[in-house]
Amino acid sequence: QVQLVESGGGLVQAGGSLRLSCAASGRTFSHYTMGWFRQAPGKEREFVAAISWSGGSTDYADSVKGRFTISRDNAKNTEYLQMNSLRPEDTAVYYCAAAPIGTVQYAIGEYHYWGQGTQVTVSS
């Protein structure tokens, strides 16, 4: 089992920045690819970003490329999502997730463990 707890969400104006954190406990954090997903009201949960277990590979949804940066600190069992140039359409509940696979994963079904989510609201 892996327990995940997100933090860092909040209300920010368009153009602003937020940094989300996801603290992991349980099994060895460095054995998991980590991802961020988001779900806006009335929409399906969607992939945002992912990072391989070593941190050597990352990928992003087209909608956030160049604005968001995913990273991880395996010594601290924590992953991060730095979000810059935020837009109102980024408003959603953001979830971190862990997949027991070494490479970057995009499908929700590949992620076995999920956090409870943190709300990000971007005002125009």
Side-chain angles (χ1 to χ4, degrees):
Q1 286 281 0
V2 176
Q3 292 79 41
L4 303 173
V5 180
E6 303 98 335
S7 61
L11 174 64
V12 64
Q13 288 188 331
S17 298
L18 283 174
R19 188 194 197 201
L20 304 184
S21 299
C22 174
S25 60
R27 293 190 176 181
T28 306
F29 178 72
S30 60
H31 289 180
Y32 292 83
T33 279
M34 298 299 296
W36 287 97
F37 291 76
R38 67 186 182 186
Q39 188 166 17
K43 295 188 177 181
E44 294 186 351
R45 191 170 299 189
E46 65 177 2
F47 171 81
V48 175
I51 185 167
S52 63
W53 57 16
S54 68
S57 296
T58 60
D59 207 355
Y60 300 88
D62 288 343
S63 59
V64 306
K65 277 182 181 175
R67 299 188 298 122
F68 291 11
T69 302
I70 189 171
S71 61
R72 66 189 297 163
D73 185 337
N74 287 344
K76 295 183 178 180
N77 290 350
T78 304
E79 73 157 341
Y80 306 96
L81 186 68
Q82 178 66 43
M83 305 186 295
N84 298 329
S85 301
L86 283 161
R87 305 167 180 169
E89 54 264 39
D90 294 317
T91 295
V93 176
Y94 283 71
Y95 298 90
C96 70
I101 303 172
T103 55
V104 167
Q105 302 295 317
Y106 305 89
I108 289 175
E110 297 294 341
Y111 289 83
H112 294 193
Y113 304 102
W114 293 82
Q116 82 289 349
T118 186
Q119 177 70 46
V120 171
T121 303
V122 184
S123 63
S124 57

